[in-house]
Amino acid sequence: MTSTRNARTLLLLPLVAALAVVHGPAQAQSLSPSLAPLATPVPAPRAAADGLSADIFYRLILGDVAMQRGETSLAARAYFEAARDARDPRLAQRATEVALAARMRGLAQESARLWTALDPTAERPKQVLTALAAGAVGKGAPDFGIDNELKARLEKLLADAALTERGAGEIFLQLNRFFGEQQDRRQTYEIVRELAKPYPKNAEAHFAVALAAYNGGLPEGSPDTIPMAAVDRALALKPDWERAALLKAELLSRRKGDDATTYLQRFVAANPEAKAAAGALAQLHVEQKRYGEARAIYQKLWDNDRNAREFEFGVAVISMQMKDWDTAEALLQDLKRANYGENGIVELFYAQVADESGRYQDAVERYKAVPEGERAWPAKLRVAAMLAKQGKVVEARKYLEDLPAVSIEQRVQVRQAEAQLLRDANDNAGAYAVLTLAIKEHPESTDLLYDAAMVAEKLDRVDEAEMRLRRVVELRPEDPQALNALGYTLVDRTNRAGEGFVLIQKANKLAPNDSFILDSMGWALFRLGRYDEAETYLRRAMKERPDAEIAAHLGEVLWAKGEMAQARDLWQTQLKANPDHPVLLETMRRLAR
């Protein structure tokens, strides 16, 4: 079976539902990236078959927005989490540099270690780690490195503030930010807990403890109920405190997303003016693919405040996800007239509307109109794809040849784009020739090696595909997508399913919730004759992403187990949405004839 599952988006991310309210700095400090982002189109660093996962996309979005607002600490954390989940050294590099700028020693160390693991040849992260080690505070002492003189000064500051009309609350709200820039998380939790003990009736004190615990400061072996208990005490003292409600929702979402949704629905109903909480609720709806409910929340927020363009933007982006092109286009035109957003963001979404709705010439003009800046380059690359979709492949290749690609990364992307044009025109041999030549120019480019492997597999040159993928794994041994691609190729195209399964297992440990890796696990288990285990993984994969190829695999497992009716129902459901999917059609022809 020739698979399409490893093909990656090369130029521009497809539309991903990724939008939430831009919270003010105070709210943002209390949230992890999954509840506090704003949509921004981000070029894929290491995209899976349909682009980045929503979770990684959200973190990139939050990082960009936080940087614009000067919240470097929040940005550094967002980039680190995106780098960790995407296994991308470029994001790890950005996380390291931003953490250094924010004076977050602990996070800078983590980011630099990740950068080194993902790109062992890079010298910069090694230099960073050496420099940080040279200035590291002592560890292992009973007080975990807490500066007693500093603690005494803060105790006096809090005591003096408690005697004033404003009280000590504001100081407690600043503690995590202050310590986050100079001490590790364990130290932060220990000192915040000690400082909060004399203030049992202060909601902000309990919140500070909850946030320190949530940020990873709990000693190993501590119960994970500690942050929830602390935030519940804060809310008991201040039931309508939105910031604490957002932190509680984030804690609940770590357990089960439905619990967080139910809680926020109740909180918003009781506090209609809680815009940040409403935005977080919309975000959860987006993650659960309940787009209509998410859009309704943004629509209501925008109706209540027509000057709040971020809500209009939210309606526009979710309308795109719902393929409501007319609504999205009208709103984006209005946002363009209002000069909303940072440079190029609205223009790029506006071009995507034409792109996704099949108006390719309009899309060409709109992509060309994206202003110079970080979004201009992916827009320029996308122009070539739009020309090719109109049958102008020769013109598209000439356009790419004339693009002023300055950096090595841009030159690689131009070759990837050219190869993709040929692949879309069913000229896989031509695409392989382009990629082979590009690899001679850039032999260490894992992106080019990966793409060449995918095309080689299409050409039934499985040995060459395996060779290229093994080189990618050599260069990025901890990259789950590379491990998965090699493992899946061995399982699907050779008689070495056991060897492939070992690689996929490693990928699954690195990215346990990746739907395509779950699919690979299921397919490998099926090839090994372990049908029940295969069904479990494939059902998990389908829950994460209802994909036609995953459905083909799950249906084949059900068929092998004698559950033919269920298999047919599953295939027919997917066939309605994907009538031309090659793997699904091949499976049905082979089994259900």
Side-chain angles (χ1 to χ4, degrees):
M1 184 193 316
T2 299
S3 171
T4 60
R5 72 185 308 286
N6 287 318
R8 295 180 305 162
T9 299
L10 300 177
L11 300 178
L12 195 66
L13 286 175
L15 294 176
V16 179
L19 189 74
V21 180
V22 178
H23 304 299
Q27 287 89 345
Q29 287 296 322
S30 71
L31 294 175
S32 82
S34 64
L35 285 182
L38 169 70
T40 305
V42 181
R46 296 274 317 160
D50 288 326
L52 296 173
S53 73
D55 193 51
I56 296 170
F57 194 48
Y58 301 149
R59 280 159 170 71
L60 290 174
I61 288 163
L62 176 63
D64 285 349
V65 173
M67 285 295 289
Q68 296 158 26
R69 299 173 68 89
E71 296 288 335
T72 51
S73 299
L74 186 63
R77 170 57 52 190
Y79 290 136
F80 171 74
E81 292 180 351
R84 179 194 61 202
D85 294 346
R87 312 301 297 174
D88 191 296
R90 289 169 292 180
L91 294 179
Q93 177 182 359
R94 190 167 193 183
T96 302
E97 302 297 354
V98 174
L100 287 171
R103 293 168 43 215
M104 299 174 70
R105 185 180 61 79
L107 184 59
Q109 285 179 318
E110 285 187 77
S111 301
R113 289 192 191 105
L114 177 63
W115 183 4
T116 297
L118 297 175
D119 184 6
T121 64
E123 290 299 322
R124 171 64 175 159
K126 298 170 187 174
Q127 296 168 358
V128 169
L129 289 170
T130 300
L132 289 171
V137 296
K139 294 184 180 180
D143 64 359
F144 303 102
I146 293 175
D147 185 327
N148 289 325
E149 183 181 349
L150 173 61
K151 181 172 175 283
R153 292 206 308 270
L154 286 170
E155 286 172 338
K156 185 176 188 309
L157 183 65
L158 286 164
D160 290 345
L163 298 175
T164 68
E165 185 177 345
R166 294 184 63 181
E170 189 59 36
I171 297 174
F172 276 115
L173 292 180
Q174 299 300 322
L175 282 181
N176 279 279
R177 181 187 298 183
F178 172 74
F179 286 113
E181 294 179 352
Q182 50 191 296
Q183 293 188 230
D184 66 28
R185 297 172 195 165
R186 173 75 181 279
Q187 290 171 322
T188 298
Y189 173 73
E190 294 293 340
I191 194 169
V192 169
R193 186 185 63 169
E194 289 298 315
L195 291 170
K197 281 181 179 178
Y199 302 91
K201 295 183 179 181
N202 186 297
E204 289 83 359
H206 294 297
F207 177 86
V209 173
L211 185 56
Y214 164 78
N215 284 337
L218 287 176
E220 192 169 342
S222 299
D224 59 8
T225 56
I226 288 176
M228 183 66 77
V231 79
D232 279 340
R233 284 193 288 270
L235 284 165
L237 293 165
K238 293 175 67 173
D240 60 348
W241 189 14
E242 188 173 16
R243 187 170 174 182
L246 288 168
L247 179 56
K248 178 169 181 174
E250 177 64 18
L251 290 166
L252 288 169
S253 71
R254 285 185 167 188
R255 300 178 185 176
K256 187 179 177 184
D258 289 346
D259 291 346
T261 302
T262 301
Y263 171 72
L264 281 176
Q265 285 173 329
R266 291 173 181 166
F267 185 85
V268 171
N271 301 276
E273 298 303 312
K275 293 180 181 179
L281 176 59
Q283 175 72 11
L284 288 172
H285 285 324
V286 165
E287 292 176 4
Q288 296 159 1
K289 296 182 172 56
R290 294 157 63 178
Y291 302 124
E293 293 171 73
R295 184 166 71 169
I297 291 173
Y298 280 112
Q299 185 70 51
K300 183 178 179 180
L301 289 167
W302 184 43
D303 288 343
N304 290 337
D305 184 0
R306 287 284 168 161
N307 292 319
R309 294 285 182 176
E310 64 269 24
F311 300 133
E312 181 182 13
F313 188 54
V315 177
V317 172
I318 296 175
S319 296
M320 292 174 72
Q321 185 64 42
M322 297 171 70
K323 301 189 187 304
D324 182 355
W325 307 120
D326 291 342
T327 297
E329 187 158 38
L331 293 172
L332 290 167
Q333 284 175 332
D334 187 51
L335 288 161
K336 278 182 64 184
R337 287 191 293 268
N339 236 359
Y340 171 79
E342 63 172 295
N343 184 48
I345 183 172
V346 173
E347 288 84 355
L348 192 51
F349 271 102
Y350 188 55
Q352 282 185 297
V353 169
D355 181 341
E356 295 285 335
S357 58
R359 293 150 48 204
Y360 301 129
Q361 188 52 43
D362 287 345
V364 167
E365 295 167 6
R366 293 180 186 183
Y367 281 126
K368 287 182 176 179
V370 173
E372 287 300 322
E374 63 179 320
R375 293 174 180 83
W377 178 252
K380 288 174 181 176
L381 291 175
R382 199 64 187 157
V383 168
M386 297 299 96
L387 291 171
K389 284 182 180 293
Q390 299 176 73
K392 303 175 183 177
V393 176
V394 174
E395 183 180 341
R397 294 183 74 179
K398 178 66 168 61
Y399 169 85
L400 287 171
E401 195 64 36
D402 293 339
L403 269 184
V406 178
S407 66
I408 291 176
E409 182 179 13
Q410 287 181 340
R411 290 196 287 272
V412 166
Q413 289 172 347
V414 166
R415 290 302 167 219
Q416 286 182 284
E418 184 181 5
Q420 188 64 48
L421 299 179
L422 295 169
R423 291 168 72 178
D424 291 342
N426 294 318
D427 183 4
N428 287 318
Y432 194 62
V434 167
L435 291 168
T436 300
L437 180 61
I439 289 171
K440 289 180 180 178
E441 298 170 353
H442 310 289
E444 301 295 285
S445 171
T446 53
D447 288 335
L448 290 172
L449 289 163
Y450 190 106
D451 292 344
M454 296 303 99
V455 181
E457 190 258 357
K458 291 283 189 184
L459 294 168
D460 288 327
R461 295 156 79 163
V462 179
D463 289 347
E464 293 179 38
E466 180 183 344
M467 175 194 68
R468 306 267 188 210
L469 288 172
R470 286 196 183 281
R471 182 58 180 150
V472 174
V473 170
E474 286 176 10
L475 292 168
R476 291 189 174 179
E478 299 300 312
D479 184 336
Q481 300 304 332
L483 290 163
N484 182 56
L486 176 57
Y488 185 85
T489 299
L490 295 176
V491 166
D492 194 55
R493 301 301 304 277
T494 77
N495 59 3
R496 289 174 283 154
E499 183 183 347
F501 181 56
V502 171
L503 292 164
I504 296 167
Q505 279 184 306
K506 184 175 180 181
N508 183 236
K509 287 179 181 178
L510 292 167
N513 297 315
D514 184 288
S515 58
F516 292 106
I517 296 175
L518 291 171
D519 174 49
S520 296
M521 285 287 292
W523 192 238
L525 288 163
F526 170 70
R527 286 298 179 97
L528 293 170
R530 296 157 61 178
Y531 295 163
D532 289 341
E533 293 172 82
E535 181 181 351
T536 298
Y537 275 100
L538 289 166
R539 288 197 181 280
R540 279 185 60 198
M542 278 295 290
K543 184 178 180 181
E544 290 289 327
R545 183 190 295 266
D547 176 82
E549 185 161 345
I550 298 173
H553 290 164
L554 177 56
E556 185 150 357
V557 171
L558 293 172
W559 194 275
K561 293 178 67 177
E563 300 170 12
M564 283 80 163
Q566 284 191 48
R568 284 195 181 95
D569 290 344
L570 177 64
W571 290 333
Q572 289 298 332
T573 299
Q574 282 296 318
L575 196 61
K576 291 176 183 177
N578 304 276
D580 301 317
H581 195 279
V583 176
L584 182 59
L585 290 172
E586 189 277 336
T587 303
M588 294 179 68
R589 289 191 192 105
R590 178 163 43 85
L591 297 176
R593 53 190 174 188

